């Protein structure tokens, strides 16, 4: 059994998704895992991979790779991060509606990189990317095999998370303006 098959069997056997396997310089074996939506994990109910998930997978992989006699010097298990790569058609289906950046294998209209909202093609085959090129809204149709790389685009909110029922800053400002900003 190959190293990739061994890692995949181990990670999926622990109910995680194997996102990527990378062999790097110095004998580093880098394994990227993710949680599968709807799965209950003994490490807690969070939506995202946490340190304890990586520890569980690391311990099991170290054991299995030793038994299999795999050639590696260091093992690193991590989450896919905010800019998660999309490696399979199943990943594309899972992240429909999300903001993604794709790099095509061949240029289309003079460029290879596009960023927009990922949608399924209306025909049922392939995908579309909805974006604005600065002049108008555009739709790029593409097939999975036309993409060299695809990643989620991190959407960060530096204003902090609003609790349920907390008014938006705009609503608060509007409310203050309505009564002249004076309290009763």
């Amino acid at each position: 059994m190959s190293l990739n098959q061994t890692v995949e069997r181990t990670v999926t056997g622990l109910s995680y998704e194997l996102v990527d396997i990378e062999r790097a310089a110095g004998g580093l074996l880098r394994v990227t895992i993710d949680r599968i939506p709807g799965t209950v994990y003994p490490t807690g109910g969070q939506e995202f991979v946490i340190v304890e998930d990586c520890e569980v997978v690391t311990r099991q992989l170290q054991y299995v790779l030793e038994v299999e006699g795999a050639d590696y010097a260091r093992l690193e298990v991590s989450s896919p991060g905010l800019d998660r790569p999309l490696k399979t058609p199943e990943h594309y289906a899972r992240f429909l509606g999300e903001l993604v950046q794709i790099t095509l294998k061949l240029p289309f209209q003079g460029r290879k990189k596009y960023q927009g909202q990922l949608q399924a093609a209306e025909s049922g085959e392939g995908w579309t990317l909805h974006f604005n090129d600065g002049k108008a809204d555009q739709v790029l149709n593409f097939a999975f095999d036309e993409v060299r790389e695809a990643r989620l685009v991190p959407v960060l909110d530096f204003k902090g998370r609003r609790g349920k029922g907390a008014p938006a800053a705009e609503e608060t400002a509007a409310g203050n303006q309505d009564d002249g900003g004076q309290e009763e």
Side-chain angles (χ1 to χ4, degrees):
M1 183 177 300
S2 76
L3 176 68
N4 287 1
Q5 291 172 322
T6 300
V7 170
E8 183 173 10
R9 185 188 73 219
T10 304
V11 170
T12 58
L14 293 169
S15 299
Y16 292 95
E17 175 188 12
L18 177 63
V19 176
D20 200 12
I21 301 173
E22 177 187 351
R23 293 194 71 113
L28 173 64
L29 176 61
R30 184 175 291 131
V31 176
T32 307
I33 63 168
D34 203 358
R35 287 185 165 200
I36 299 170
T39 303
V40 177
Y41 292 93
T43 55
Q46 294 86 354
E47 178 181 349
F48 304 104
V49 171
I50 58 175
V51 172
E52 288 81 3
D53 295 321
C54 295
E55 289 174 352
V56 166
V57 174
T58 297
R59 280 194 296 276
Q60 189 64 29
L61 279 174
Q62 286 173 330
Y63 173 76
V64 169
L65 294 174
E66 183 178 334
V67 169
E68 295 288 326
D71 183 30
Y72 75 99
R74 281 186 8 239
L75 174 64
E76 178 183 295
V77 177
S78 64
S79 75
L82 294 176
D83 63 341
R84 182 195 205 285
L86 305 180
K87 300 272 188 176
T88 66
E90 291 78 19
H91 292 167
Y92 284 61
R94 177 176 168 188
F95 293 102
L96 285 176
E98 297 291 332
L99 190 60
V100 299
Q101 181 179 55
I102 65 168
T103 303
L104 299 173
K105 292 176 182 174
L106 300 172
F108 177 72
Q109 296 181 343
R111 62 189 262 209
K112 288 184 177 183
K113 287 193 175 194
Y114 292 87
Q115 180 174 307
Q117 186 182 43
L118 180 65
Q119 297 293 329
E122 289 182 21
S123 67
E125 292 189 28
W127 311 96
T128 62
L129 196 66
H130 297 256
F131 64 98
N132 187 299
D133 65 0
K135 298 174 187 169
D137 289 338
Q138 301 285 325
V139 176
L140 173 70
N141 295 303
F142 63 94
F144 178 75
D145 62 353
E146 294 176 308
V147 177
R148 183 176 46 165
E149 180 182 36
R151 292 187 165 278
L152 291 179
V153 174
V155 178
L156 304 174
D157 177 10
F158 291 108
K159 294 180 182 179
R161 295 182 183 175
R162 274 189 255 154
K164 290 184 179 180
E170 300 84 29
E171 292 170 350
T172 304
N176 288 342
Q177 289 173 356
D178 288 344
D179 64 9
Q182 299 174 352
E183 294 184 24
E184 294 179 34

